[in-house]
Amino acid sequence: MYGVKRLGEWLVERGKITPQQLEEALAFQRETGKRLGEALIQLGYITEDDYYEVQAAQWECPYEPLRDAQIQEAMRVRHWIGAQEATRYMVAPLREEGHVLWVAAADPNNVEMLDYLRQSTGKSIKVVFSPPARVLHAIARIYSLHDVDMPEVDNAATVEEPIEEDITNLDKTVHQAPVIRFVNGILLEAIERNASDIHFEPLETRMQVRFRIDGVLYPVREIPLSLRAAVTARVKLLAEMDIAERRLPQDGRFTLKVGTNPVDLRVSSLPTVFGERVVIRLLTRDNAQKTLAQLGVPPAVERGLTELASKPWGMILVTGPTGSGKSTTLYALLQQIKSERRNILTCEDPVEFTIEGVGQSQVNEKIGLTFASQLRAILRQDPDVVLVGEIRDTETAEIACRAAMTGHLVLATLHTNDATSAPARMIDMGVPAFLINSALTGVLAQRLVRRLCERCKEPITVTDPAITALFGVDRLETYRAVGCPVCNEIGYRGRVGLYELFVVSDPIRRLIAQQADSEAIRAAAPAGTLYTIQQDAMQKVRDGVTTLEEVLSQIQLDTFRVRAA
């Protein structure tokens, strides 16, 4: 039965790996925090199909890789299972053999799914195992959600005057099956492609849909003018926003459940000259469960950060531009330091993920609940650790500093270009230097770069002096992006952080008191107190985690001087 033998035992027993390779993978797993299957694949000991075949054996059912040929055949039997039910149960129809319907499922032992299929189809159900990502991809293909059918429209329509839709008719339209199917298809496709944002952008004669994947926007669809209002209204309806209000910006949120994985979606609308522009942020809760190592934090930085967070008091800042993963890093740090003996409270805007054992509260400036006022209230709740989602003003900064001085560990984010700029930024905000000196213990700066696809990356040697000089070497052994079906021919899959850790020491405190700038502080940092982002970038380029192009897109060339790690 499933779960009796561990994955490694199954792989060794079937001759996929040797006991020595298993030991090496387990050591790699402990070092990186990856799952054993991921570790084995990354080390090149097994393929993805090897891993899934063993999983199927544990489920005691056949394995189906869901290639294009199977998906084409499956389109002929899709009428047996609706798209909504397929998404709910993470199951895709495959083929029909007399009274038997074959299906691919991410969880072959899902009794509820099996009962539903037997009752709704009246057929005997045979199940094969397929990994969740491939089932999701198959569902999108089988139900034509990449090329969803739409009602007949006049694509030649032009706009001479602003169009005022009848709200009554619009309310009926958003509940029609084609519109529902179309919007659901876009949402499902975005989740399948690991998009972080969906942009619905009204233009003069159409609406454009773009996905942000690994930080880059890609056009994926164009919506005819006659469907623009209905699609916008459908999204707003899902987010419980007022579909009749199109003159003011609105915010909303809703949750989708894909299989057993809930996805939180935050929706923002903005009136523009051609209609409402809607952006959906997709938040996968798995991000809140990642460890620092899984985020790509190098061991030296993780040790320094953990040491700072083990102290009972002090302020740790995480800095970087918007969208650089600061909140995700703080969540990972909270997961690491939380315990039954610590009272951890947060004030965020908004609360992106919930963490068990942590008291999380949300800022609401419309009713006067600002970061500053909420932080004051939190300090009356006897906290040991306080997380401030963002330091935006002098009042919040001063309260956070005083909290750190009076026996609390304060974690917060701040917008700066690098770690050593944080003290100058706070002084510029009007925070007295003596408060910063008394409170600040360390700063973590970060950027996000795209991670190379492990399946198709290719080793190269760079000898261009203009590039190698930046790294302080004569030749640079690295990797380049190629592109394959696994990464949608992009060459990258996912993102990883570049990190810089700055530990505040006594010589630096004297410079802060003199209101020294970032360059002076960086130059005076004692050995062992500054792990630069350039060091981390160089190591990740050499290890084939990312590419030179990605690194140089985030770090200025004239400041890219790497010291040996």
Side-chain angles (χ1 to χ4, degrees):
M1 293 298 291
Y2 175 73
V4 174
K5 291 185 179 179
R6 295 178 181 273
L7 173 64
E9 294 174 351
W10 279 88
L11 289 167
V12 171
E13 184 179 295
R14 280 158 175 72
K16 299 290 186 181
I17 60 173
T18 66
Q20 182 181 352
Q21 288 174 328
L22 175 59
E23 290 301 321
E24 291 175 4
L26 289 170
F28 184 72
Q29 179 190 24
R30 289 190 292 270
E31 179 182 340
T32 62
K34 294 179 179 292
R35 294 177 180 176
L36 179 58
E38 294 175 347
L40 286 163
I41 292 170
Q42 186 167 336
L43 290 170
Y45 295 156
I46 63 172
T47 66
E48 285 188 359
D49 284 331
D50 289 334
Y51 171 58
Y52 295 134
E53 283 177 13
V54 173
Q55 279 195 303
Q58 290 177 316
W59 287 115
E60 297 184 339
C61 68
Y63 166 61
E64 173 55 64
L66 285 176
R67 306 300 185 198
D68 285 345
Q70 284 84 2
I71 291 174
Q72 290 297 325
E73 183 180 355
M75 290 182 179
R76 293 194 287 269
V77 295
R78 63 183 178 182
H79 59 278
W80 288 110
I81 307 174
Q84 185 174 353
E85 289 72 25
T87 306
R88 175 184 175 187
Y89 293 116
M90 287 293 283
V91 61
L94 290 181
R95 59 187 179 276
E96 188 177 5
E97 296 177 355
H99 193 64
V100 176
L101 179 65
W102 286 84
V103 299
D107 181 2
N109 287 354
N110 187 330
V111 176
E112 182 184 352
M113 175 267 293
L114 293 170
D115 287 344
Y116 168 79
L117 293 181
R118 292 189 186 105
Q119 293 176 14
S120 63
T121 65
K123 289 184 170 291
S124 296
I125 305 299
K126 294 290 186 181
V127 183
V128 300
F129 167 72
S130 292
R134 295 189 189 179
V135 173
L136 190 59
H137 174 75
I139 292 170
R141 292 281 305 281
I142 291 168
Y143 294 95
S144 301
L145 297 179
H146 289 282
D147 189 24
V148 70
D149 56 323
M150 293 183 290
E152 292 294 326
V153 296
D154 180 10
N155 288 317
T158 59
V159 178
E160 296 181 357
E161 299 179 354
I163 298 176
E164 292 294 334
E165 291 84 6
D166 181 5
I167 296 300
T168 304
N169 291 335
L170 186 60
D171 186 56
K172 294 177 182 177
T173 304
V174 298
H175 291 92
Q176 291 180 356
V179 174
I180 294 173
R181 208 161 50 239
F182 181 66
V183 172
N184 288 352
I186 291 176
L187 296 176
L188 186 60
E189 183 180 351
I191 294 169
E192 176 217 332
R193 295 179 62 179
N194 293 319
S196 61
D197 300 87
I198 307 171
H199 291 242
F200 294 87
E201 302 166 341
L203 306 175
E204 186 173 4
T205 60
R206 66 194 186 283
M207 173 179 275
Q208 179 176 250
V209 181
R210 294 196 289 173
F211 292 166
R212 187 176 295 279
I213 302 173
D214 299 333
V216 179
L217 278 171
Y218 296 94
V220 294
R221 194 78 54 82
E222 288 191 354
I223 300 174
L225 182 66
S226 56
L227 277 183
R228 185 175 66 189
V231 169
T232 301
R234 177 63 188 170
V235 174
K236 292 172 66 177
L237 189 68
L238 288 170
E240 299 184 347
M241 296 157 67
D242 184 358
I243 65 171
E245 179 56 75
R246 289 169 288 172
R247 300 165 301 172
L248 297 173
Q250 294 186 66
D251 295 299
R253 65 188 307 161
F254 63 102
T255 300
L256 286 179
K257 194 169 185 181
V258 181
T260 58
N261 300 318
V263 179
D264 296 320
L265 298 97
R266 292 209 315 259
V267 183
S268 171
S269 70
L270 178 71
T272 68
V273 291
F274 294 122
E276 285 183 283
R277 192 180 193 280
V278 176
V279 175
I280 304 176
R281 169 65 57 87
L282 290 82
L283 301 169
T284 305
R285 296 183 187 179
D286 289 345
N287 287 337
Q289 305 300 322
K290 289 185 176 179
T291 64
L292 291 171
Q294 288 172 331
L295 295 178
V297 178
V301 172
E302 183 176 358
R303 287 193 298 271
L305 195 59
T306 302
E307 184 178 345
L308 290 174
S310 66
K311 296 179 179 179
W313 65 272
M315 177 188 286
I316 302 173
L317 295 176
V318 179
T319 73
T322 301
S324 60
K326 299 186 295 295
S327 296
T328 303
T329 300
L330 283 178
Y331 284 142
L333 186 57
L334 283 185
Q335 292 280 13
Q336 185 168 308
I337 67 174
K338 72 174 184 179
S339 73
E340 294 181 351
R341 297 178 178 274
R342 273 182 151 177
N343 180 23
I344 303 176
L345 300 176
T346 77
C347 54
E348 307 171 59
D349 184 23
V351 175
E352 294 188 1
F353 307 105
T354 56
I355 304 175
E356 186 176 355
V358 176
Q360 297 172 262
S361 55
Q362 185 161 313
V363 169
N364 188 345
E365 295 189 355
K366 293 180 181 178
I367 61 172
L369 187 59
T370 63
F371 273 110
S373 59
Q374 188 156 335
L375 185 53
R376 287 194 190 92
I378 282 175
L379 293 176
R380 293 192 288 270
Q381 292 281 313
D382 185 32
D384 297 298
V385 182
V386 178
L387 185 150
V388 183
E390 183 181 347
I391 293 180
R392 297 176 179 172
D393 53 67
T394 306
E395 185 179 14
T396 304
E398 288 193 3
I399 297 172
C401 285
R402 294 184 188 281
M405 292 167 55
T406 54
H408 305 88
L409 178 63
V410 178
L411 311 176
T413 70
L414 187 69
H415 288 285
T416 66
N417 290 327
D418 54 41
T420 54
S421 296
R425 173 73 181 111
M426 295 185 74
I427 289 173
D428 186 58
M429 291 174 67
V431 181
F434 77 88
L435 278 182
I436 302 170
N437 267 335
S438 301
L440 189 63
T441 57
V443 185
L444 179 76
Q446 65 182 76
R447 297 285 191 280
L448 286 180
V449 293
R450 290 184 292 175
R451 186 191 291 268
L452 273 167
C453 174
E454 291 292 336
R455 178 64 65 86
C456 63
K457 67 181 183 181
E458 185 175 277
I460 59 170
T461 300
V462 179
T463 57
D464 182 354
I467 299 298
T468 57
L470 297 173
F471 283 81
V473 295
D474 295 327
R475 51 191 290 121
L476 179 64
E477 302 293 338
T478 181
Y479 294 78
R480 72 180 184 93
V482 178
C484 68
V486 172
C487 59
N488 292 314
E489 305 299 335
I490 295 173
Y492 298 93
R493 194 178 184 191
R495 287 194 287 179
V496 66
L498 301 179
Y499 298 92
E500 175 172 277
L501 180 64
F502 170 50
V503 179
V504 179
S505 56
D506 288 338
I508 297 303
R509 295 187 194 284
R510 288 192 287 271
L511 287 176
I512 293 174
Q514 299 168 14
Q515 300 189 12
D517 61 17
S518 173
E519 290 302 318
I521 290 175
R522 182 173 291 266
T529 64
L530 178 61
Y531 182 96
T532 68
I533 200 169
Q534 289 85 359
Q535 288 175 260
D536 189 26
M538 182 179 188
Q539 194 60 50
K540 286 186 167 73
V541 168
R542 283 177 165 169
D543 292 344
V545 176
T546 188
T547 61
L548 183 63
E549 291 79 10
E550 279 294 297
V551 165
L552 296 180
S553 72
Q554 294 294 323
I555 302 174
Q556 293 181 4
L557 285 171
D558 59 350
T559 62
F560 197 87
R561 294 291 183 270
V562 182
R563 296 182 294 182

